[in-house]
Structure formats: structure tokens, C-alpha cells
Amino acid sequence: MTAHDPEAMRRPNAPMTTYRYDEYDAAFVSERVAEFREQVRRRLSGALTEEEFRPFRLMNGLYLQLHAYMLRVAIPYGTLTARQMRRLADIAEKWDKGYGHFTTRQNLQYNWPKLVDTPDILESLADVEMHAIQTSGNCIRNVTADHFAGVAPDEIEDPRPTAEFLRQWSSLHSEFSFLPRKFKIAVTGAAHDRAAILVHDIGLRIVKNDTGEIGYQVVVGGGLGRSPFIGKVVGDFVPREDLLAFLEAILRVYNRFGRRDNKYKARVKILVHEKGIDEIRAAVEAEFAAMDRSAFAHDSEEFERIAAFFAPPPYDSLPATSASLRAAKLESPAFANFADVNVGAHKMPGYAIVTVSLKPIGGVPGDATSDQMRVLADASERFGFGELRVSHEQNIILPHVKQDDLLTLWRMLDAAGLATANAGLVSDIISCPGLDYCSLATARSIPIAQAISKRFSDMSRQRRIGKLGVKISGCINACGHHHVGAIGILGLEKKGQESYQITLGGDPTFSASIGEILGPGVTAEQVPDVVEHLVDYYLAEREEGEAFIDTWRRIGHARFKDVLRREGEDGADI
């Protein structure tokens, strides 16, 4: 087949566990492709200068990076069908260099498309109900969600219907298409935050009140970048019927009072920080009370229509545990490691959630080849109702796997180089593309991630260390989320040399915290040594059941800082 293949629409691979375009959606995306095709034609003919073309390409997710254009494809709330994953693979093979990069915003980036090909790429995406709209620019970006949505045992409600509702509300919203800066929203419906809602412009947590009614705790003003902040609660319990109006009120307050004179101070987190949450809350409540809310009246019928797309698939009735899984783990230690580390509990008896790590030892975090994407698509159809998820940790999730099928799935993944048993461990590193690709970066990120990964290549050592989030950014914009890494690494440029600032104690969950700087920057070559010393000290000091962040909180930042200073004095060259 070709990447642009209308026949693919007829293939029997459309699980009713994901949203499907209606006629309006399809027409909207198709018209945007035709519009952009004409804009590209005018740019290539010279009728538009690059400066004139820039806003048009950004509205379609097309950046101009260090070496080439970069196209960012939206994956709403990180949910994909097998057919969509195959299309991403086909596009990578036909119009890029045979791979794609999954990002911390649950999107996918192509790093090498040619401008002349981008309309055809967008048309190919539209064939499978995908686009690149609002993946750039000062607008509401791709709404993200818990990658275990709908299958997690700790969930109150699947957050994807809410996320889809917000996607439709925010798409080409006439009032919010030119905000002071980009705006990011995340939703979770679980007791544990896997969507990092406290570091978003708006974070939504689905909750129940004392009468059992579903509503939302609304957090505003979180964010990373050069000024990181943890979001603050602006609404303890917003009923579902008021959600759109309440969010509209927040956006109106931000649009009215957010700074436009300095882009570094234009995010809503700065507004919340400067005004204080009490003043912001009063302004939002006043706007909410004064606005004509009839346009935002909750349409329960429409919400239920959307929610029906995310109905559970037809699970089999199975025992809670699998005898064949127990036997397979005894037979194969390698499989047992994978099952223990990358397989999570599922809300349905006999099923499991599988995290497919895109972080092989020494690999590029988040990258997948076309062949690997096709294997993932095949695996999802064979073992999981044709559905996949992208996590903000840059991994792929298979959310509906029978425990009885885990061994066969593992063999399939292992043959494709996709069975690294490191989900959540020290080599499961979040990293931005850094100076290898990004025009904003000031240092490389990928080689740092690869060096740390190789340093901890002993998988049994990784398991002894336990859960440890290492996150790397190649500049202060923090696309690698280094501020909320238990160990964060920020690449900077100092006097023409790359320098790496280490932070400790970052946390993206409901107990969120911003990492504290450890000391002066170190060289690229020193980073693995520093990380290893910190890990060794943690292992020496930890108490039973403590993760790295727990030990750091218990004994304090100064102890870690001091031990690193002493190691340097002892000649450890760090």
C-alpha cells in the first residue's frame, strides 16, 4: 500500500474504544489540508516569504528546526488505533527517515519532512482521522490524559470523554486562537496522577462529592519552562454541567490580564504567581457569574454520545490470575523480569496493561522505527482490540492484554527490539530532542540519555535501584520535564561549552515538587558519574520500601549535595 491509501478506510480495524470522526470533523480536517496545500504552493513559488508563511505553517504543526522542517502530529489524549499507528509508520517510511519521535505531549514528531511533501502527509493523516492542528502556536494545545485511562483499577471515571469534549470546545475557538502564549490542559480520573496535571496551565482531576456526584477539581497556573510552578486549586468541585463555562471563564481572565509585552512572562502561571490564586479565583468566579452561560450549557446527550466511543471493549470473563502466566515466569527469567516491571494491574480480571518501553539501552528516548510501529499495530490487533496509547513518558501502552497472552506478546516485542524491561526504572529516561534537532536548544540531550542508559545497562542493578525518574531537557524551555525529575538534568551553554545543571527532588504526581539545584554545572562526560554517585548514595541511605524521591525528602537536599561535594574533593572528578 502507499501511505495515502483510501482503501485503508475499509479495513476491519476500527475499535469502538476510540473516538471516530463525524462528517463535521472529516470536513473540517479536509478543508484545512486543502487550505495548507495552497499556502505551501504559494511559499514554494515565492509568493509568500518565510516570515509571511510562518504563522500558516505553525497553525498546522510545522516548525523549522536546525536541519529541516519538523511536523508535530496530534494524538488526542494519547489514544491511537492500529490503523493510525500503521499510517504513522507508512508516513515515516515514505516521507521521513523511517522513524518517528513520540513526545512528552503524547504527540509524534517527524524530524525530516520536506516542505513540498507536507500537504500530502497531512492528507494521508486525514485519511485515518488525524491532523497536526494546534500542535503549535499560542492556542490550546493537544489535550492530554492518563495513559491508563479506562483500564486503571484506581480510576473514578475514564477521563477521555472529558478530554475529547475539551478538544472539540477548544479546536479553532475564535476567542482563544491568539492567546498570550500556548496553553496546555491535562485530565486524570484516577487516584494516582499519571498525567502530571499539577504542571499544566489547567489540570483537571475527576472527583466525586459527598453525594456521589461526578465533578472536577480544577487546578490552574502550573507549568515548567524557565519559571516552573506547581498549579493551584481554583475550583474544588466544579459540576460537570459547569465545566465548559468555568474553563471559558479562566481563559477569558487569562486572555484579558495575561501579559503580552514579554513572552517569557506571558503564561498563565506567571499571572497566577503575580496576582495570587485568591485574586485569580475571584476574577474567574466574577467572570463565571457575569457571563451568558447558555452557550456553554452542558449537553448531556452529546457527552454521552462521546462517552459511548470509549465504551469498554468486549472483554472475556477470565479468572483473576493466570496459571499459564505463573508457569511462563518460572520458565523464563527474562520474561518474568518484563512481566514484573512493564506489566500493570488492570481493572478487569485476567487482563493486564503493558508498557512497551521506547528506551532500549543506549537508544534514543521516544523513537520508534516504521517496522516497530507496525509491530505495535499488529500486537494491538492480536492482543488488545486494536488500541494503543502514547504516554507522556514517551512509551507505548497496550491497554487490554490477557494475562494468558503476555508470554506470546513478549516474544513478539522482543523480536522487534521492544521488550526492554525498564518501565519506570533509571534508564526509562524522558528526554527532549535537544541540540541534535531543536533550534531552541542550548545543549544536547539525547547523548546524555544514552550515556546514562549505558552506565546502568545491568538490568538486575536497575531493578535493585527501583523506580527512579530521570528527565533531561536541552534548554530552559524544559520539554524534557527536568524540573519534575527525581533527578533532573538541564543542558545549558556556558562560554561556548555545554554545561549540565543537576536538580533533585522533582515530582510530577499529586505530591508534586520542583527539583532543587544540586550545585555548579558539570560537563557532558561527568553527568553519568554524577548520576551514579547520587544513586549509590541513595542505595546506601534508603530505608525499606523507599523510592529515590522518598529518601531525598527524608534526609534532605543538603545531604545529597554534601556527599557529591565530598566525592569531588576525594578526586572523583565530579
Side-chain angles (χ1 to χ4, degrees):
M1 63 171 285
T2 64
H4 179 197
D5 181 10
E7 294 299 314
M9 291 291 290
R10 300 172 190 153
R11 291 178 181 166
N13 176 26
M16 283 302 289
T17 54
T18 57
Y19 181 75
R20 299 299 313 275
Y21 280 12
D22 59 17
E23 291 180 358
Y24 177 85
D25 294 319
F28 165 57
V29 174
S30 178
E31 288 169 5
R32 174 58 78 86
V33 171
E35 183 181 71
F36 189 61
R37 186 179 294 281
E38 174 62 13
Q39 290 161 351
V40 169
R41 186 196 67 74
R42 293 171 65 200
R43 172 68 188 116
L44 291 171
S45 72
L48 290 176
T49 66
E50 172 55 32
E51 191 60 27
E52 291 168 332
F53 178 59
R54 184 173 181 273
F56 298 131
R57 65 172 169 77
L58 289 179
M59 290 175 70
N60 291 280
L62 188 64
Y63 290 73
L64 186 55
Q65 296 287 40
L66 279 179
H67 312 296
Y69 285 98
M70 179 273 282
L71 181 66
R72 181 178 293 155
V73 179
I75 302 175
Y77 32 88
T79 297
L80 279 170
T81 66
R83 184 161 65 94
Q84 290 170 328
M85 181 66 96
R86 285 199 187 90
R87 184 55 55 91
L88 294 176
D90 294 340
I91 290 171
E93 193 168 77
K94 181 174 182 178
W95 287 302
D96 206 273
K97 292 193 175 182
Y99 65 91
H101 176 75
F102 290 95
T103 77
T104 53
R105 193 121 208 100
Q106 299 180 313
N107 292 319
L108 178 131
Q109 292 180 179
Y110 294 113
N111 286 315
W112 302 99
K114 295 176 182 174
L115 176 59
V116 68
D117 293 331
T118 52
D120 289 338
I121 296 174
L122 294 179
E123 185 171 323
S124 183
L125 290 169
D127 283 347
V128 293
E129 303 180 354
M130 299 185 79
H131 60 73
I133 299 167
Q134 291 187 199
T135 58
S136 177
N138 295 330
C139 56
I140 299 174
R141 302 287 187 88
N142 185 38
V143 177
T144 56
D146 183 354
H147 46 266
F148 290 174
V151 294
D154 66 339
E155 192 172 79
I156 294 173
E157 181 181 271
D158 187 338
R160 291 175 300 165
T162 295
E164 173 59 29
F165 216 60
L166 298 183
R167 186 193 69 81
Q168 297 189 19
W169 161 73
S170 62
S171 294
L172 294 191
H173 192 302
S174 57
E175 191 173 342
F176 305 143
S177 294
F178 299 96
L179 292 165
R181 283 287 280 135
K182 58 188 172 185
F183 202 93
K184 299 177 179 178
I185 301 174
V187 193
T188 183
H192 297 87
D193 183 11
R194 290 173 287 265
I197 68 163
L198 294 180
V199 289
H200 278 73
D201 295 297
I202 287 179
L204 298 178
R205 181 182 184 182
I206 297 174
V207 293
K208 284 183 179 178
N209 64 12
D210 293 340
T211 64
E213 179 190 6
I214 293 285
Y216 302 88
Q217 184 186 65
V218 182
V219 174
V220 67
L224 301 176
R226 65 181 59 229
S227 302
F229 290 101
I230 303 300
K232 296 177 174 58
V233 175
V234 69
D236 274 319
F237 184 86
V238 177
R240 175 164 286 156
E241 55 267 29
D242 291 337
L243 180 65
L244 283 190
F246 196 80
L247 298 190
E248 184 89 8
I250 293 174
L251 267 296
R252 287 185 182 183
V253 168
Y254 168 53
N255 211 15
R256 187 186 311 155
F257 298 112
R259 293 179 59 169
R260 294 177 184 267
D261 60 319
N262 182 340
K263 74 174 186 177
Y264 301 119
K265 296 184 181 296
R267 297 290 293 270
V268 71
K269 62 186 178 184
I270 301 297
L271 184 66
V272 172
H273 175 68
E274 292 182 345
K275 300 288 186 183
I277 188 61
D278 291 338
E279 186 173 338
I280 293 298
R281 185 182 295 111
V284 169
E285 290 174 351
E287 179 65 32
F288 180 81
M291 67 195 297
D292 177 4
R293 296 197 293 277
S294 61
F296 310 103
H298 181 64
D299 185 340
S300 58
E301 186 175 332
E302 175 62 8
F303 189 87
E304 292 306 318
R305 184 189 75 84
I306 290 174
F309 286 107
F310 302 97
Y315 294 115
D316 290 338
S317 295
L318 299 171
T321 58
S322 164
S324 63
L325 171 60
R326 287 195 297 273
K329 290 176 70 173
L330 291 173
E331 180 182 333
S332 169
F335 168 67
N337 290 336
F338 178 83
D340 289 342
V341 175
N342 288 38
V343 176
H346 197 285
K347 70 178 184 181
M348 293 300 294
Y351 283 83
I353 304 169
V354 175
T355 297
V356 181
S357 170
L358 298 183
K359 322 288 178 54
I361 298 301
V364 178
D367 275 13
T369 67
S370 292
D371 287 343
Q372 288 177 323
M373 285 189 257
R374 293 190 182 103
V375 168
L376 289 165
D378 291 346
S380 74
E381 286 183 324
R382 186 174 172 189
F383 302 110
F385 302 101
E387 185 186 341
L388 308 101
R389 312 280 178 79
V390 181
S391 74
H392 84 271
E393 288 122 346
Q394 301 177 284
N395 292 319
I396 300 299
I397 310 299
L398 296 171
H400 314 287
V401 182
K402 290 180 182 175
Q403 294 179 20
D404 290 344
D405 291 334
L406 285 171
L407 177 61
T408 309
L409 170 64
W410 172 73
R411 287 172 174 154
M412 185 177 181
L413 296 174
D414 192 41
L418 290 166
T420 307
N422 64 347
L425 304 184
V426 64
S427 65
D428 185 10
I429 299 168
I430 290 180
S431 172
C432 71
L435 199 53
D436 286 295
Y437 296 99
C438 181
S439 59
L440 299 176
T442 49
R444 295 167 298 159
S445 300
I446 292 171
I448 303 300
Q450 291 171 314
I452 296 171
S453 174
K454 290 175 183 174
R455 178 64 62 92
F456 292 92
S457 60
D458 181 343
M459 301 307 291
S460 60
R461 183 187 182 195
Q462 288 199 42
R463 289 193 297 279
R464 285 197 301 274
I465 296 167
K467 298 290 184 184
L468 175 53
V470 177
K471 306 180 194 300
I472 307 172
S473 300
C475 77
I476 196 64
N477 291 298
C479 293
H481 296 184
H482 68 277
H483 291 301
V484 288
I487 297 177
I489 300 167
L490 167 62
L492 298 167
E493 182 272 329
K494 282 190 174 180
K495 299 179 180 177
Q497 301 294 318
E498 290 173 315
S499 177
Y500 293 86
Q501 186 182 80
I502 311 295
T503 54
L504 299 182
D507 177 1
T509 71
F510 286 139
S511 54
S513 56
I514 301 297
E516 298 181 26
I517 296 173
L518 193 62
V522 299
T523 67
E525 292 72 23
Q526 291 172 321
V527 172
D529 293 333
V530 172
V531 173
E532 190 166 37
H533 279 293
L534 293 168
V535 169
D536 286 345
Y537 183 62
Y538 151 66
L539 292 175
E541 295 293 326
R542 74 175 173 186
E543 294 183 350
E544 182 70 24
E546 278 188 337
F548 183 95
I549 184 74
D550 302 322
T551 301
W552 178 85
R553 283 174 171 156
R554 177 173 56 80
I555 70 176
H557 188 66
R559 293 270 299 274
F560 278 87
K561 193 171 182 176
D562 188 52
V563 74
L564 202 64
R565 180 182 57 77
R566 292 202 311 273
E567 293 285 358
E569 291 172 350
D570 291 343
D573 194 27
I574 55 176

